[in-house]
PDB file of all heavy atoms in Angstrom:
ATOM      1  N   TYR U 587     144.783  87.914  86.101  1.00  0.00           N
ATOM      2  CA  TYR U 587     145.767  87.462  87.288  1.00  0.00           C
ATOM      3  C   TYR U 587     145.157  87.992  88.520  1.00  0.00           C
ATOM      4  O   TYR U 587     144.503  89.075  88.449  1.00  0.00           O
ATOM      5  CB  TYR U 587     147.082  87.972  87.025  1.00  0.00           C
ATOM      6  CG  TYR U 587     147.827  87.346  85.902  1.00  0.00           C
ATOM      7  CD1 TYR U 587     147.733  87.987  84.656  1.00  0.00           C
ATOM      8  CD2 TYR U 587     148.550  86.218  85.928  1.00  0.00           C
ATOM      9  CE1 TYR U 587     148.463  87.484  83.565  1.00  0.00           C
ATOM     10  CE2 TYR U 587     149.171  85.623  84.824  1.00  0.00           C
ATOM     11  CZ  TYR U 587     149.082  86.360  83.637  1.00  0.00           C
ATOM     12  OH  TYR U 587     149.789  85.870  82.581  1.00  0.00           O
ATOM     13  N   ILE U 588     145.416  87.461  89.632  1.00  0.00           N
ATOM     14  CA  ILE U 588     145.293  88.029  91.001  1.00  0.00           C
ATOM     15  C   ILE U 588     146.636  88.137  91.536  1.00  0.00           C
ATOM     16  O   ILE U 588     147.488  87.147  91.542  1.00  0.00           O
ATOM     17  CB  ILE U 588     144.312  87.126  91.855  1.00  0.00           C
ATOM     18  CG1 ILE U 588     143.021  87.097  91.259  1.00  0.00           C
ATOM     19  CG2 ILE U 588     144.381  87.610  93.334  1.00  0.00           C
ATOM     20  CD1 ILE U 588     141.974  86.181  91.984  1.00  0.00           C
ATOM     21  N   VAL U 589     147.011  89.230  92.085  1.00  0.00           N
ATOM     22  CA  VAL U 589     148.251  89.521  92.740  1.00  0.00           C
ATOM     23  C   VAL U 589     148.006  89.908  94.169  1.00  0.00           C
ATOM     24  O   VAL U 589     147.228  90.661  94.483  1.00  0.00           O
ATOM     25  CB  VAL U 589     148.972  90.768  92.039  1.00  0.00           C
ATOM     26  CG1 VAL U 589     150.299  91.019  92.659  1.00  0.00           C
ATOM     27  CG2 VAL U 589     149.150  90.517  90.636  1.00  0.00           C
ATOM     28  N   THR U 590     148.732  89.116  95.044  1.00  0.00           N
ATOM     29  CA  THR U 590     148.608  89.234  96.458  1.00  0.00           C
ATOM     30  C   THR U 590     149.957  89.236  97.113  1.00  0.00           C
ATOM     31  O   THR U 590     151.007  89.078  96.470  1.00  0.00           O
ATOM     32  CB  THR U 590     147.630  88.207  96.987  1.00  0.00           C
ATOM     33  OG1 THR U 590     147.330  88.506  98.330  1.00  0.00           O
ATOM     34  CG2 THR U 590     148.157  86.820  96.893  1.00  0.00           C
ATOM     35  N   GLY U 591     149.886  89.297  98.513  1.00  0.00           N
ATOM     36  CA  GLY U 591     151.209  89.241  99.176  1.00  0.00           C
ATOM     37  C   GLY U 591     151.014  88.952 100.644  1.00  0.00           C
ATOM     38  O   GLY U 591     149.932  89.141 101.159  1.00  0.00           O
ATOM     39  N   GLU U 592     152.080  88.721 101.302  1.00  0.00           N
ATOM     40  CA  GLU U 592     152.211  88.424 102.710  1.00  0.00           C
ATOM     41  C   GLU U 592     153.559  88.827 103.108  1.00  0.00           C
ATOM     42  O   GLU U 592     154.469  88.860 102.310  1.00  0.00           O
ATOM     43  CB  GLU U 592     152.065  86.912 103.019  1.00  0.00           C
ATOM     44  CG  GLU U 592     150.677  86.326 102.836  1.00  0.00           C
ATOM     45  CD  GLU U 592     149.650  86.614 103.893  1.00  0.00           C
ATOM     46  OE1 GLU U 592     150.103  87.176 105.010  1.00  0.00           O
ATOM     47  OE2 GLU U 592     148.513  86.357 103.741  1.00  0.00           O
ATOM     48  N   GLY U 593     153.709  89.044 104.404  1.00  0.00           N
ATOM     49  CA  GLY U 593     155.186  89.232 104.856  1.00  0.00           C
ATOM     50  C   GLY U 593     155.985  87.910 104.739  1.00  0.00           C
ATOM     51  O   GLY U 593     157.120  88.024 104.376  1.00  0.00           O
ATOM     52  N   ASN U 594     155.365  86.785 105.013  1.00  0.00           N
ATOM     53  CA  ASN U 594     156.021  85.595 105.000  1.00  0.00           C
ATOM     54  C   ASN U 594     155.206  84.428 104.358  1.00  0.00           C
ATOM     55  O   ASN U 594     153.932  84.311 104.869  1.00  0.00           O
ATOM     56  CB  ASN U 594     156.323  85.189 106.439  1.00  0.00           C
ATOM     57  CG  ASN U 594     157.145  83.933 106.569  1.00  0.00           C
ATOM     58  OD1 ASN U 594     158.197  83.805 105.970  1.00  0.00           O
ATOM     59  ND2 ASN U 594     156.755  83.041 107.445  1.00  0.00           N
ATOM     60  N   ILE U 595     155.599  83.796 103.358  1.00  0.00           N
ATOM     61  CA  ILE U 595     154.859  82.695 102.664  1.00  0.00           C
ATOM     62  C   ILE U 595     155.664  81.448 103.139  1.00  0.00           C
ATOM     63  O   ILE U 595     156.760  81.119 102.730  1.00  0.00           O
ATOM     64  CB  ILE U 595     154.662  82.910 101.230  1.00  0.00           C
ATOM     65  CG1 ILE U 595     153.827  84.167 100.917  1.00  0.00           C
ATOM     66  CG2 ILE U 595     154.005  81.674 100.595  1.00  0.00           C
ATOM     67  CD1 ILE U 595     153.799  84.394  99.448  1.00  0.00           C
ATOM     68  N   ASP U 596     154.818  80.599 103.841  1.00  0.00           N
ATOM     69  CA  ASP U 596     155.394  79.283 104.362  1.00  0.00           C
ATOM     70  C   ASP U 596     154.329  78.170 104.427  1.00  0.00           C
ATOM     71  O   ASP U 596     153.161  78.450 103.969  1.00  0.00           O
ATOM     72  CB  ASP U 596     156.149  79.506 105.601  1.00  0.00           C
ATOM     73  CG  ASP U 596     155.317  79.933 106.829  1.00  0.00           C
ATOM     74  OD1 ASP U 596     154.092  79.780 106.733  1.00  0.00           O
ATOM     75  OD2 ASP U 596     155.842  80.491 107.769  1.00  0.00           O
ATOM     76  N   SER U 597     154.642  77.072 105.060  1.00  0.00           N
ATOM     77  CA  SER U 597     153.699  76.004 105.072  1.00  0.00           C
ATOM     78  C   SER U 597     152.451  76.417 105.910  1.00  0.00           C
ATOM     79  O   SER U 597     151.388  75.780 105.804  1.00  0.00           O
ATOM     80  CB  SER U 597     154.334  74.768 105.718  1.00  0.00           C
ATOM     81  OG  SER U 597     154.747  75.001 106.995  1.00  0.00           O
ATOM     82  N   GLN U 598     152.498  77.342 106.802  1.00  0.00           N
ATOM     83  CA  GLN U 598     151.461  77.879 107.555  1.00  0.00           C
ATOM     84  C   GLN U 598     150.455  78.786 106.857  1.00  0.00           C
ATOM     85  O   GLN U 598     149.356  79.049 107.340  1.00  0.00           O
ATOM     86  CB  GLN U 598     151.899  78.494 108.917  1.00  0.00           C
ATOM     87  CG  GLN U 598     152.745  77.529 109.738  1.00  0.00           C
ATOM     88  CD  GLN U 598     151.823  76.343 110.151  1.00  0.00           C
ATOM     89  OE1 GLN U 598     150.855  76.458 110.627  1.00  0.00           O
ATOM     90  NE2 GLN U 598     152.323  75.208 109.964  1.00  0.00           N
ATOM     91  N   THR U 599     150.906  79.267 105.690  1.00  0.00           N
ATOM     92  CA  THR U 599     150.124  80.205 104.980  1.00  0.00           C
ATOM     93  C   THR U 599     148.666  79.722 104.624  1.00  0.00           C
ATOM     94  O   THR U 599     147.787  80.530 104.656  1.00  0.00           O
ATOM     95  CB  THR U 599     150.876  80.695 103.737  1.00  0.00           C
ATOM     96  OG1 THR U 599     152.246  81.309 104.133  1.00  0.00           O
ATOM     97  CG2 THR U 599     150.099  81.834 102.915  1.00  0.00           C
ATOM     98  N   GLN U 600     148.654  78.514 104.320  1.00  0.00           N
ATOM     99  CA  GLN U 600     147.381  77.900 103.960  1.00  0.00           C
ATOM    100  C   GLN U 600     146.324  77.934 105.103  1.00  0.00           C
ATOM    101  O   GLN U 600     145.151  77.762 104.911  1.00  0.00           O
ATOM    102  CB  GLN U 600     147.527  76.541 103.451  1.00  0.00           C
ATOM    103  CG  GLN U 600     146.343  76.048 102.701  1.00  0.00           C
ATOM    104  CD  GLN U 600     146.584  74.854 101.892  1.00  0.00           C
ATOM    105  OE1 GLN U 600     147.730  74.372 101.757  1.00  0.00           O
ATOM    106  NE2 GLN U 600     145.559  74.152 101.409  1.00  0.00           N
ATOM    107  N   ASN U 601     146.708  78.234 106.298  1.00  0.00           N
ATOM    108  CA  ASN U 601     145.912  78.019 107.474  1.00  0.00           C
ATOM    109  C   ASN U 601     145.275  79.389 107.874  1.00  0.00           C
ATOM    110  O   ASN U 601     145.559  79.892 109.020  1.00  0.00           O
ATOM    111  CB  ASN U 601     146.697  77.505 108.628  1.00  0.00           C
ATOM    112  CG  ASN U 601     147.107  76.049 108.265  1.00  0.00           C
ATOM    113  OD1 ASN U 601     146.544  75.320 107.603  1.00  0.00           O
ATOM    114  ND2 ASN U 601     148.389  75.654 108.756  1.00  0.00           N
ATOM    115  N   GLY U 602     144.661  80.037 106.982  1.00  0.00           N
ATOM    116  CA  GLY U 602     143.869  81.184 107.353  1.00  0.00           C
ATOM    117  C   GLY U 602     144.411  82.570 107.083  1.00  0.00           C
ATOM    118  O   GLY U 602     143.856  83.513 107.292  1.00  0.00           O
ATOM    119  N   LYS U 603     145.600  82.603 106.466  1.00  0.00           N
ATOM    120  CA  LYS U 603     146.100  83.858 106.064  1.00  0.00           C
ATOM    121  C   LYS U 603     145.269  84.378 104.794  1.00  0.00           C
ATOM    122  O   LYS U 603     144.594  83.560 104.179  1.00  0.00           O
ATOM    123  CB  LYS U 603     147.617  83.650 105.718  1.00  0.00           C
ATOM    124  CG  LYS U 603     148.494  83.551 106.940  1.00  0.00           C
ATOM    125  CD  LYS U 603     149.983  83.756 106.582  1.00  0.00           C
ATOM    126  CE  LYS U 603     150.848  83.628 107.718  1.00  0.00           C
ATOM    127  NZ  LYS U 603     152.351  83.800 107.361  1.00  0.00           N
ATOM    128  N   THR U 604     145.611  85.624 104.535  1.00  0.00           N
ATOM    129  CA  THR U 604     144.846  86.231 103.225  1.00  0.00           C
ATOM    130  C   THR U 604     145.032  85.323 102.000  1.00  0.00           C
ATOM    131  O   THR U 604     143.959  85.121 101.355  1.00  0.00           O
ATOM    132  CB  THR U 604     145.442  87.546 102.932  1.00  0.00           C
ATOM    133  OG1 THR U 604     145.253  88.420 104.162  1.00  0.00           O
ATOM    134  CG2 THR U 604     144.833  88.183 101.780  1.00  0.00           C
ATOM    135  N   ILE U 605     146.207  84.738 101.786  1.00  0.00           N
ATOM    136  CA  ILE U 605     146.339  84.042 100.471  1.00  0.00           C
ATOM    137  C   ILE U 605     145.437  82.852 100.457  1.00  0.00           C
ATOM    138  O   ILE U 605     144.895  82.481  99.370  1.00  0.00           O
ATOM    139  CB  ILE U 605     147.910  83.612 100.330  1.00  0.00           C
ATOM    140  CG1 ILE U 605     148.653  84.964 100.017  1.00  0.00           C
ATOM    141  CG2 ILE U 605     147.942  82.631  99.112  1.00  0.00           C
ATOM    142  CD1 ILE U 605     150.127  84.586  99.955  1.00  0.00           C
ATOM    143  N   SER U 606     145.230  82.262 101.545  1.00  0.00           N
ATOM    144  CA  SER U 606     144.380  81.039 101.574  1.00  0.00           C
ATOM    145  C   SER U 606     142.960  81.359 101.084  1.00  0.00           C
ATOM    146  O   SER U 606     142.391  80.558 100.290  1.00  0.00           O
ATOM    147  CB  SER U 606     144.347  80.405 102.945  1.00  0.00           C
ATOM    148  OG  SER U 606     143.696  81.325 103.855  1.00  0.00           O
ATOM    149  N   GLY U 607     142.342  82.374 101.522  1.00  0.00           N
ATOM    150  CA  GLY U 607     141.014  82.827 101.062  1.00  0.00           C
ATOM    151  C   GLY U 607     140.950  83.205  99.541  1.00  0.00           C
ATOM    152  O   GLY U 607     140.053  82.788  98.846  1.00  0.00           O
ATOM    153  N   ILE U 608     142.081  83.862  99.142  1.00  0.00           N
ATOM    154  CA  ILE U 608     142.112  84.308  97.760  1.00  0.00           C
ATOM    155  C   ILE U 608     142.338  83.102  96.831  1.00  0.00           C
ATOM    156  O   ILE U 608     141.627  83.008  95.738  1.00  0.00           O
ATOM    157  CB  ILE U 608     143.215  85.312  97.536  1.00  0.00           C
ATOM    158  CG1 ILE U 608     142.888  86.590  98.263  1.00  0.00           C
ATOM    159  CG2 ILE U 608     143.604  85.510  96.125  1.00  0.00           C
ATOM    160  CD1 ILE U 608     143.946  87.630  98.258  1.00  0.00           C
ATOM    161  N   LEU U 609     143.055  82.107  97.255  1.00  0.00           N
ATOM    162  CA  LEU U 609     143.360  80.958  96.424  1.00  0.00           C
ATOM    163  C   LEU U 609     142.087  80.062  96.221  1.00  0.00           C
ATOM    164  O   LEU U 609     141.901  79.661  95.103  1.00  0.00           O
ATOM    165  CB  LEU U 609     144.443  80.010  97.062  1.00  0.00           C
ATOM    166  CG  LEU U 609     145.808  80.685  97.093  1.00  0.00           C
ATOM    167  CD1 LEU U 609     146.856  79.622  97.787  1.00  0.00           C
ATOM    168  CD2 LEU U 609     146.325  80.905  95.713  1.00  0.00           C
ATOM    169  N   LYS U 610     141.240  80.004  97.240  1.00  0.00           N
ATOM    170  CA  LYS U 610     140.111  79.325  97.028  1.00  0.00           C
ATOM    171  C   LYS U 610     139.185  79.867  95.892  1.00  0.00           C
ATOM    172  O   LYS U 610     138.625  79.154  95.035  1.00  0.00           O
ATOM    173  CB  LYS U 610     139.274  79.285  98.264  1.00  0.00           C
ATOM    174  CG  LYS U 610     138.035  78.447  98.339  1.00  0.00           C
ATOM    175  CD  LYS U 610     137.344  78.322  99.637  1.00  0.00           C
ATOM    176  CE  LYS U 610     136.060  77.537  99.639  1.00  0.00           C
ATOM    177  NZ  LYS U 610     135.312  77.438 100.715  1.00  0.00           N
ATOM    178  N   ILE U 611     138.877  81.104  95.928  1.00  0.00           N
ATOM    179  CA  ILE U 611     138.120  81.833  94.982  1.00  0.00           C
ATOM    180  C   ILE U 611     138.884  81.763  93.567  1.00  0.00           C
ATOM    181  O   ILE U 611     138.172  81.400  92.594  1.00  0.00           O
ATOM    182  CB  ILE U 611     137.831  83.290  95.321  1.00  0.00           C
ATOM    183  CG1 ILE U 611     136.915  83.239  96.604  1.00  0.00           C
ATOM    184  CG2 ILE U 611     137.266  84.079  94.178  1.00  0.00           C
ATOM    185  CD1 ILE U 611     136.823  84.657  97.170  1.00  0.00           C
ATOM    186  N   ALA U 612     140.235  82.053  93.602  1.00  0.00           N
ATOM    187  CA  ALA U 612     140.938  81.974  92.282  1.00  0.00           C
ATOM    188  C   ALA U 612     140.845  80.641  91.636  1.00  0.00           C
ATOM    189  O   ALA U 612     140.762  80.480  90.453  1.00  0.00           O
ATOM    190  CB  ALA U 612     142.301  82.390  92.496  1.00  0.00           C
ATOM    191  N   LYS U 613     140.993  79.527  92.385  1.00  0.00           N
ATOM    192  CA  LYS U 613     141.007  78.229  91.965  1.00  0.00           C
ATOM    193  C   LYS U 613     139.541  77.823  91.333  1.00  0.00           C
ATOM    194  O   LYS U 613     139.567  77.174  90.195  1.00  0.00           O
ATOM    195  CB  LYS U 613     141.450  77.172  92.931  1.00  0.00           C
ATOM    196  CG  LYS U 613     141.654  75.766  92.349  1.00  0.00           C
ATOM    197  CD  LYS U 613     142.306  74.979  93.411  1.00  0.00           C
ATOM    198  CE  LYS U 613     142.680  73.573  92.752  1.00  0.00           C
ATOM    199  NZ  LYS U 613     143.349  72.685  93.600  1.00  0.00           N
ATOM    200  N   GLU U 614     138.616  78.242  91.898  1.00  0.00           N
ATOM    201  CA  GLU U 614     137.233  77.901  91.421  1.00  0.00           C
ATOM    202  C   GLU U 614     137.060  78.624  90.001  1.00  0.00           C
ATOM    203  O   GLU U 614     136.291  78.159  89.245  1.00  0.00           O
ATOM    204  CB  GLU U 614     136.185  78.538  92.425  1.00  0.00           C
ATOM    205  CG  GLU U 614     136.041  77.718  93.683  1.00  0.00           C
ATOM    206  CD  GLU U 614     135.209  78.501  94.682  1.00  0.00           C
ATOM    207  OE1 GLU U 614     134.704  79.595  94.493  1.00  0.00           O
ATOM    208  OE2 GLU U 614     134.997  77.953  95.800  1.00  0.00           O
ATOM    209  N   ARG U 615     137.720  79.797  89.815  1.00  0.00           N
ATOM    210  CA  ARG U 615     137.508  80.521  88.596  1.00  0.00           C
ATOM    211  C   ARG U 615     138.717  80.385  87.502  1.00  0.00           C
ATOM    212  O   ARG U 615     138.758  81.008  86.541  1.00  0.00           O
ATOM    213  CB  ARG U 615     137.377  81.928  88.881  1.00  0.00           C
ATOM    214  CG  ARG U 615     135.962  82.261  89.579  1.00  0.00           C
ATOM    215  CD  ARG U 615     135.945  83.498  90.379  1.00  0.00           C
ATOM    216  NE  ARG U 615     134.639  83.718  90.900  1.00  0.00           N
ATOM    217  CZ  ARG U 615     134.131  83.067  91.916  1.00  0.00           C
ATOM    218  NH1 ARG U 615     134.873  82.148  92.627  1.00  0.00           N
ATOM    219  NH2 ARG U 615     132.929  83.312  92.479  1.00  0.00           N
ATOM    220  N   ASP U 616     139.662  79.534  88.016  1.00  0.00           N
ATOM    221  CA  ASP U 616     140.895  79.213  87.100  1.00  0.00           C
ATOM    222  C   ASP U 616     141.666  80.474  86.732  1.00  0.00           C
ATOM    223  O   ASP U 616     141.945  80.709  85.666  1.00  0.00           O
ATOM    224  CB  ASP U 616     140.398  78.531  85.876  1.00  0.00           C
ATOM    225  CG  ASP U 616     141.563  77.763  85.150  1.00  0.00           C
ATOM    226  OD1 ASP U 616     142.483  77.349  85.843  1.00  0.00           O
ATOM    227  OD2 ASP U 616     141.616  77.662  83.921  1.00  0.00           O
ATOM    228  N   ILE U 617     141.790  81.274  87.851  1.00  0.00           N
ATOM    229  CA  ILE U 617     142.636  82.543  87.703  1.00  0.00           C
ATOM    230  C   ILE U 617     144.024  82.335  88.303  1.00  0.00           C
ATOM    231  O   ILE U 617     144.059  81.947  89.578  1.00  0.00           O
ATOM    232  CB  ILE U 617     141.938  83.699  88.392  1.00  0.00           C
ATOM    233  CG1 ILE U 617     140.462  83.930  87.818  1.00  0.00           C
ATOM    234  CG2 ILE U 617     142.709  84.983  88.290  1.00  0.00           C
ATOM    235  CD1 ILE U 617     139.689  84.872  88.663  1.00  0.00           C
ATOM    236  N   PRO U 618     145.113  82.597  87.532  1.00  0.00           N
ATOM    237  CA  PRO U 618     146.445  82.430  88.095  1.00  0.00           C
ATOM    238  C   PRO U 618     146.593  83.402  89.221  1.00  0.00           C
ATOM    239  O   PRO U 618     146.176  84.576  89.220  1.00  0.00           O
ATOM    240  CB  PRO U 618     147.345  82.810  86.938  1.00  0.00           C
ATOM    241  CG  PRO U 618     146.479  82.617  85.668  1.00  0.00           C
ATOM    242  CD  PRO U 618     145.095  83.034  86.138  1.00  0.00           C
ATOM    243  N   VAL U 619     147.222  82.994  90.244  1.00  0.00           N
ATOM    244  CA  VAL U 619     147.626  83.811  91.418  1.00  0.00           C
ATOM    245  C   VAL U 619     149.140  84.045  91.586  1.00  0.00           C
ATOM    246  O   VAL U 619     149.822  83.013  91.620  1.00  0.00           O
ATOM    247  CB  VAL U 619     146.996  83.235  92.763  1.00  0.00           C
ATOM    248  CG1 VAL U 619     147.393  84.074  93.943  1.00  0.00           C
ATOM    249  CG2 VAL U 619     145.443  83.104  92.591  1.00  0.00           C
ATOM    250  N   ILE U 620     149.537  85.189  91.704  1.00  0.00           N
ATOM    251  CA  ILE U 620     150.992  85.550  91.853  1.00  0.00           C
ATOM    252  C   ILE U 620     151.115  86.133  93.325  1.00  0.00           C
ATOM    253  O   ILE U 620     150.282  87.150  93.497  1.00  0.00           O
ATOM    254  CB  ILE U 620     151.450  86.519  90.785  1.00  0.00           C
ATOM    255  CG1 ILE U 620     151.339  85.910  89.351  1.00  0.00           C
ATOM    256  CG2 ILE U 620     152.886  86.960  91.035  1.00  0.00           C
ATOM    257  CD1 ILE U 620     151.528  86.839  88.278  1.00  0.00           C
ATOM    258  N   ALA U 621     151.990  85.689  94.070  1.00  0.00           N
ATOM    259  CA  ALA U 621     152.199  86.197  95.423  1.00  0.00           C
ATOM    260  C   ALA U 621     153.498  86.703  95.653  1.00  0.00           C
ATOM    261  O   ALA U 621     154.559  86.092  95.125  1.00  0.00           O
ATOM    262  CB  ALA U 621     151.845  85.064  96.421  1.00  0.00           C
ATOM    263  N   PHE U 622     153.569  87.851  96.352  1.00  0.00           N
ATOM    264  CA  PHE U 622     154.901  88.429  96.708  1.00  0.00           C
ATOM    265  C   PHE U 622     154.977  88.474  98.147  1.00  0.00           C
ATOM    266  O   PHE U 622     154.051  88.637  98.884  1.00  0.00           O
ATOM    267  CB  PHE U 622     155.002  89.934  96.258  1.00  0.00           C
ATOM    268  CG  PHE U 622     154.997  90.042  94.665  1.00  0.00           C
ATOM    269  CD1 PHE U 622     153.802  90.320  93.989  1.00  0.00           C
ATOM    270  CD2 PHE U 622     156.148  89.951  93.890  1.00  0.00           C
ATOM    271  CE1 PHE U 622     153.726  90.475  92.639  1.00  0.00           C
ATOM    272  CE2 PHE U 622     156.218  90.030  92.520  1.00  0.00           C
ATOM    273  CZ  PHE U 622     155.016  90.308  91.916  1.00  0.00           C
ATOM    274  N   ALA U 623     156.217  88.178  98.693  1.00  0.00           N
ATOM    275  CA  ALA U 623     156.407  88.196 100.167  1.00  0.00           C
ATOM    276  C   ALA U 623     157.806  88.664 100.435  1.00  0.00           C
ATOM    277  O   ALA U 623     158.781  88.436  99.568  1.00  0.00           O
ATOM    278  CB  ALA U 623     156.164  86.861 100.653  1.00  0.00           C
ATOM    279  N   GLY U 624     157.991  89.081 101.741  1.00  0.00           N
ATOM    280  CA  GLY U 624     159.332  89.448 102.146  1.00  0.00           C
ATOM    281  C   GLY U 624     160.185  88.121 102.241  1.00  0.00           C
ATOM    282  O   GLY U 624     161.417  88.191 101.945  1.00  0.00           O
TER     283      GLY U 624
END
């Protein structure tokens, strides 16, 4: 698993936040991603 987080996860998260970069790598490797946020 990959565990990550942000202060806020919303529709804008895919546009350059940390999670967006992690998701690209995880998806290529078929690794589940769990995210925590405020």
